[in-house]
Amino acid sequence: MSNTKLLAGQVFPDITVTNLNGGNLDLADMSGFDWKLVVVYRGKHCPLCTQYLNTLNSLLPEFEALGVGVVAVSSDTLEKAQSQMKDVTPDFTVGYGLTIEQMQALGLYISNPRSAAETDSPFAEPGLFVINEKKQLQIIDTSNAPFVRPDLNSLIMGLKFIRNPENNYPIRGTY
């Protein structure tokens, strides 16, 4: 097993996947925003992911008001991603086709399916990355199980504090 742990303050790795709406998607592209939230979800087989993505979609205006663009990505195929997004109808950008090498570069936990009924290939467990204006990792959260993910309302509260220049809040966890 090979896995690289990303470090707080490190520049986000160069990761490009396929955009569900066509073309390529650079996960760290800041178009229109000076910060970025990258959410890695397990895939169509995960009902908790669908719920989390729906919550993310409902909170999207709050992230964007803070200058934080949002993208979600999984290792799913085009067909699986399209099927799951029918239940989400996201207003944020969705990527698919994350490779094992890309999952490893992001320091994600990777699982094999329990059975063919779950899914048909290894997939990433949840990950969340907040990238600042210098493309540095401001916040990193990875989990090895679908039940442990950051509360998105708490994340918004924290980002409001971090993004307020009066607080002069540094990247934490760099010791």
Side-chain angles (χ1 to χ4, degrees), residues 151-171:
D151 176 78
L152 293 170
N153 285 298
S154 293
L155 179 60
I156 289 169
M157 181 184 63
L159 287 171
K160 285 178 183 176
F161 185 83
I162 292 170
R163 304 265 2 235
N164 181 340
E166 293 177 16
N167 294 324
N168 195 29
Y169 197 81
I171 297 172

Side-chain angles (χ1 to χ4, degrees), residues 15-27 29 93-95:
I15 304 280
T16 300
V17 296
T18 307
N19 187 326
L20 190 59
N21 292 326
N24 291 326
L25 173 61
D26 174 356
L27 295 183
D29 177 44
T93 303
V94 176

